[in-house]
């Protein structure tokens, strides 16, 4: 059987080829799955998709009409898939429920320290042989408060690094993580966490109840000199409200690896095109904002685990097995 994989990055192709060798053939495409590209999948029983694929009702109907019966998503998040429609169409859907939490946690810290210590501005200056220190003063993280919204595996990994910095830890989640509590984390309300934290980091999934978790009111509740980091899902933050607060001169720094309207932008080269997204265009102009293109997961270890899990999901589908990765089982 040949599998069609959409949205494959150049670094991923050899990993997918190697992982599927001896099992199935795989055809890797760098284009992302959407209504325009869905017809390419005609004749493929199994396809693999990336986190920015568009898997709404219309795309799923096109896939089903073309013979696709299984979707293996190469990510943990699945908010881009209409699971109810997939089930109605008799399609099996699986995701990658786990990969290295250290990849995302370490990158979240990279963003936090980059904006805190003005690394981007300093690097730009030194390329022009401008070695002044004006405007580059940061702050010690030691002794300050880190607020972790979402204390699962990634949040825990972030908290361990914060503990190493000597920070006070506040947490917010529907369930308390004993490992975080052993680090000295105290669970509080979201409002208290935002009001007291010098660094706020997001590690929760995007669901209807977490959409715009950081909205205008939440942003106003934060300290004026706080650092905000989002390496989870773009829809957790109200981007327009964030722009308003940044225009008012608030926040020491903001690090965003995700953006709520990133589909059709991230993972693509748009450098020669006019940017139609006014909010994103404004965000990247602020000197205290660093935007990266959803790369927190992008390490050899994490991508390797994602690829291996994707192969297992396909093999399980072919064998009629069900694992914790299955979102919609085989009918």
């Amino acid at each position: 059987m040949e599998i069609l994989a959409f949205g494959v990055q150049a670094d991923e192709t050899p990993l997918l080829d190697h992982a599927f060798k001896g099992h199935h053939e795989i055809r890797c495409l760098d284009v992302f799955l959407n209504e325009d590209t869905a017809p390419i999948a005609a004749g493929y029983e199994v396809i693999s998709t990336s986190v920015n694929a568009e898997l709404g009702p219309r795309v799923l109907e096109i896939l089903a009409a073309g013979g696709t019966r299984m979707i293996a998503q190469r990510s943990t998040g699945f908010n881009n898939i209409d699971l109810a429609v997939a089930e109605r169409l008799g399609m099996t859907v699986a995701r990658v429920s786990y990969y290295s939490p250290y990849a995302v946690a370490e990158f979240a810290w990279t963003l936090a320290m980059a904006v805190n210590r003005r690394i981007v501005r300093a690097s730009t200056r030194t390329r022009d042989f401008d070695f002044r220190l004006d405007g580059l003063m940061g702050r010690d993280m030691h002794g300050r408060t880190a607020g972790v919204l979402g204390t699962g595996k990634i949040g825990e990994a972030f908290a361990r690094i914060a503990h190493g910095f000597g920070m006070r830890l506040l947490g917010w989640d529907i369930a308390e993580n004993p490992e975080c509590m052993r680090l000295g984390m105290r669970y509080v309300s979201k409002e208290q966490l935002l009001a007291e934290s010098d660094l706020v980091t997001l590690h929760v999934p995007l669901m209807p109840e977490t959409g715009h978790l950081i909205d205008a009111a939440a942003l106003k509740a934060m300290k004026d000199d706080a650092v905000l980091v989002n390496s989870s899902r773009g829809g957790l933050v109200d981007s327009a409200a964030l722009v308003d607060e940044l225009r008012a001169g608030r926040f020491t720094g903001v690090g965003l690896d995700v953006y709520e309207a990133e589909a059709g932008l991230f993972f693509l080269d748009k450098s020669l095109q006019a940017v139609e997204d006014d909010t994103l265009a404004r965000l990247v102009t602020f000197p205290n904002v660093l935007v990266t293109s959803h790369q927190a997961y992008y390490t050899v270890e994490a991508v390797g685990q994602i690829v291996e899990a994707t192969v297992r999901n396909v093999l399980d589908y072919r064998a009629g097995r069900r694992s914790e990765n299955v979102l919609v089982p085989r009918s």
Side-chain angles (χ1 to χ4, degrees), residues 102-123:
Y102 309 108
V104 179
E106 290 172 6
F107 194 82
W109 264 107
T110 300
L111 290 175
M113 294 307 294
V115 296
N116 176 44
R117 300 306 301 269
R118 324 294 189 193
I119 298 299
V120 175
R121 184 185 297 178
S123 176

Side-chain angles (χ1 to χ4, degrees), residues 5-8 28-33 37 40 50 268:
F6 286 92
V8 180
C28 296
L29 303 179
D30 59 1
V31 298
F32 292 92
L33 178 62
T37 60
I40 300 173
S50 66
L268 300 172

Side-chain angles (χ1 to χ4, degrees), residues 218-268:
L219 291 165
K220 290 184 183 303
M222 293 173 59
K223 292 183 176 182
D224 287 343
D225 60 354
V227 170
L228 172 65
V229 174
N230 185 13
S231 58
S232 185
R233 287 291 180 266
L236 298 175
V237 176
D238 184 335
S239 304
L242 177 58
V243 167
D244 289 339
E245 296 303 311
L246 289 164
R247 289 179 61 191
R250 301 190 65 225
F251 306 134
T252 289
V254 175
L256 304 174
D257 185 51
V258 288
Y259 175 63
E260 58 182 324
E262 68 182 55
L265 289 172
F266 282 19
F267 307 138
L268 300 172

